[in-house]
């Protein structure tokens, strides 16, 4: 570990932020998987509801700086496209 006080603090803060970002990314991935599984099952209502929840999670992650806005937009767009393709 570093010897300088500020460097020690940076190490601790970085570790905290890394844990927070991992948790947020995990939530997003889980919500995306729920949408994809609903689409695979062919359950349009469940897919639409899961899409709504996934969009909220992705937007929260973007607001907190975990994802870039274009990345988040691409994720939402792909999920919406998959749900809308269902007949």
């Amino acid at each position: 570990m570093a010897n300088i006080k500020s460097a020690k603090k940076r190490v601790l803060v970085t570790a905290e932020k890394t844990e927070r970002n991992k948790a947020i990314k995990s939530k997003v991935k889980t919500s995306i998987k729920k949408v994809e599984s609903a689409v695979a099952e062919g359950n349009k209502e469940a897919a639409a509801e899961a899409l709504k929840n996934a969009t909220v999670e992705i937007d929260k992650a973007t607001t907190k700086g975990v994802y870039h806005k274009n990345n988040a937009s691409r994720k939402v767009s792909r999920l919406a496209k998959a749900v809308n393709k269902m007949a």
Side-chain angles (χ1 to χ4, degrees), residues 6-7 9 32-33 37 46 62 78:
S6 62
K9 182 178 177 183
I32 288 173
K33 285 178 188 172
S37 66
T62 306
R78 286 179 178 170

Side-chain angles (χ1 to χ4, degrees), residues 35-63:
V35 174
E36 290 172 345
S37 66
V39 168
E41 290 171 4
N43 189 345
K44 183 145 178 124
E45 290 177 12
E49 187 64 32
L51 173 64
K52 202 179 295 183
N53 293 336
T55 304
V56 169
E57 289 296 333
I58 292 169
D59 288 344
K60 281 183 186 176
T62 306
T63 305

